[in-house]
Amino acid sequence: MRVSITIYDDQVETLVPNTLATHKTEIIEKIKRIHSRGYTNLHEGWLEGSKQVSQKYNNEQLNRVILLSDGLANKGETNPDVICTHVHGLMKHGVSTSTMGIGTDFNEDLLEAMAKSGDGNYYYIESPDSLPAIFQSELQGIMATIGSKVSLGIEPSRNVEVLDVFNDLNTTMYGRYKLPNLIMGNKIEVAIRLKIPPITHTHSLCKFRLAWDTPEQIERQEIKVALKLPVVSSNQLDEFPFNVEVSARIAQLIAVRAREEAIRNIDNRDYSTAQKVLQNAQNAVCSAPMSLNLKEQELAELESLQRQIDQGEYVRVRKQASYESYRKRNSRSE
């Protein structure tokens, strides 16, 4: 593994040029000498880090910039669209970007957008004490990544409609859904609602195409699967039980939408409506068929958001709600 370390504020400085991660003690000592200074030239810091990664680019390995920030981009290029365009351009050349925001002073919308544009991960870190575990998770994910630039194509057959993709995933220029990197041992769950007309014989109702890039292969990899369901009578269909796992996943993703609606209410300073939205989400989770542990976790997160609104911690609740939405939409494991 290779590593480089770039720090940024008013100025940008490379503490550790791109090198093999063998002299760990020297690298750690340089990190310990980092201290806060002036403004936050986030874009220039990211750009220098990108140059360091690109200098030793290896198309047989995962090449990634990890951007860490505890402040707002207020120096140099600050336009989110321009920054994300640059991040996406670098991703097309094989260098991805993950972002980490610490505390309450960073711009979560920008860091999440950069991670999406860069085919990487976004993390919200409330306390610096959590940073080692988050870094370990990211580095382990990098080493276990087996596919990048992952997309899911959904092709319904005639008369079959895709009514909803509950994850609310971004789409590619070809209309396919963008998925997070394929990491060994991690699941990616996408919940879809189809409208299927009455049928008289079994045939393909919908085709799914999973595609990804891998360092070992020049050509893009893909798997195609067709959905077929048995033909049953109306009475038999009414007797089918709900799938608890699917119902639980849908309830989670509906609660994600409630979080995002609450964020919009908070941005409009309509805190009472935000509370109502989160309470409605709690009620929906309570009535959803899911395991007790999962239900308790989901309710605890929603209750935490409500409590923060009661205490006037609007900046914190926005970051937490945004991160929970991002994490659950993308089925990230930590």
Side-chain angles (χ1 to χ4, degrees):
M1 176 181 285
R2 305 189 68 90
V3 64
S4 66
I5 299 173
T6 297
I7 60 175
Y8 60 95
D9 42 53
D10 302 71
Q11 302 174 356
V12 176
E13 178 184 354
T14 297
L15 290 185
V16 180
N18 194 318
T19 184
L20 291 172
T22 51
H23 303 292
K24 297 179 182 179
T25 302
E26 295 178 16
I27 293 173
I28 291 172
E29 285 302 315
K30 289 185 178 182
I31 292 174
K32 287 181 177 179
R33 293 198 292 268
I34 298 174
H35 61 277
S36 60
R37 296 188 296 196
Y39 291 89
T40 303
N41 195 339
L42 183 146
H43 175 260
E44 194 66 27
W46 169 83
L47 187 60
E48 177 58 29
S50 303
K51 291 177 182 177
Q52 289 295 321
V53 175
S54 300
Q55 283 174 5
K56 300 293 183 178
Y57 175 80
N58 186 337
N59 61 5
E60 296 183 356
Q61 298 177 353
L62 188 64
N63 303 268
R64 176 164 295 175
V65 180
I66 302 176
L67 176 73
L68 180 66
S69 178
D70 65 352
L72 299 171
N74 52 23
K75 184 77 173 179
E77 181 59 69
T78 60
N79 186 315
D81 291 336
V82 174
I83 294 174
C84 289
T85 298
H86 291 172
V87 172
H88 187 67
L90 186 70
M91 183 273 293
K92 288 184 174 180
H93 287 88
V95 180
S96 57
T97 296
S98 284
T99 59
M100 301 181 179
I102 300 181
T104 58
D105 292 332
F106 68 92
N107 183 339
E108 62 269 26
D109 294 336
L110 172 60
L111 293 195
E112 182 177 338
M114 289 178 69
K116 288 179 179 178
S117 299
D119 197 33
N121 302 310
Y122 160 63
Y123 302 87
Y124 165 43
I125 306 170
E126 290 191 68
S127 167
D129 294 338
S130 305
L131 190 55
I134 297 295
F135 252 103
Q136 184 177 11
S137 174
E138 172 71 3
L139 293 176
Q140 287 177 341
I142 290 174
M143 291 185 287
T145 296
I146 56 177
S148 60
K149 300 180 185 176
V150 188
S151 68
L152 175 67
I154 304 175
E155 302 175 13
S157 302
R158 186 169 57 89
N159 297 327
V160 175
E161 295 181 53
V162 178
L163 296 183
D164 203 343
V165 178
F166 290 93
N167 302 64
D168 295 328
L169 298 165
N170 290 339
T171 56
T172 68
M173 60 184 296
Y174 302 107
R176 300 180 182 122
Y177 295 95
K178 296 180 181 179
L179 298 182
N181 289 339
L182 298 178
I183 298 176
M184 191 175 299
N186 279 19
K187 292 194 300 183
I188 299 176
E189 296 178 336
V190 180
I192 302 167
R193 175 173 287 160
L194 299 176
K195 181 180 180 181
I196 302 172
I199 57 176
T200 57
H201 62 280
T202 300
H203 61 86
S204 174
L205 301 172
C206 192
K207 294 180 181 178
F208 300 93
R209 173 186 178 271
L210 182 68
W212 68 95
D213 288 348
T214 179
E216 293 80 16
Q217 303 290 335
I218 297 177
E219 295 182 354
R220 190 160 172 79
Q221 305 300 295
E222 65 176 38
I223 295 175
K224 293 183 178 180
V225 178
L227 172 66
K228 294 183 179 181
L229 297 176
V231 176
V232 297
S233 67
S234 298
N235 291 336
Q236 289 174 307
L237 184 61
D238 291 338
E239 293 175 357
F240 280 1
F242 282 107
N243 183 298
V244 175
E245 186 177 353
V246 173
S247 298
R249 183 64 177 143
I250 290 174
Q252 274 191 309
L253 292 170
I254 289 176
V256 163
R257 290 176 175 175
R259 287 174 172 86
E260 292 169 346
E261 185 178 350
I263 289 173
R264 291 191 290 272
N265 294 137
I266 290 171
D267 290 345
N268 292 327
R269 300 184 180 181
D270 189 353
Y271 307 119
S272 61
T273 300
Q275 286 279 29
K276 292 177 183 177
V277 168
L278 293 174
Q279 185 58 57
N280 290 339
Q282 281 188 330
N283 296 338
V285 169
C286 283
S287 61
M290 61 173 63
S291 70
L292 181 59
N293 288 342
L294 183 59
K295 182 171 292 190
E296 289 179 346
Q297 177 185 339
E298 193 70 30
L299 290 174
E301 291 179 357
L302 292 168
E303 288 169 0
S304 175
L305 296 176
Q306 286 188 295
R307 187 166 55 252
Q308 290 173 38
I309 294 176
D310 283 337
Q311 296 169 352
E313 299 179 5
Y314 305 126
V315 173
R316 182 183 173 195
V317 71
R318 194 187 192 284
K319 285 176 168 54
Q320 182 176 328
S322 176
Y323 181 54
E324 288 173 1
S325 296
Y326 168 83
R327 180 167 50 86
K328 293 174 188 293
R329 276 198 314 267
N330 292 279
S331 302
R332 292 191 59 253
S333 299
E334 298 184 355

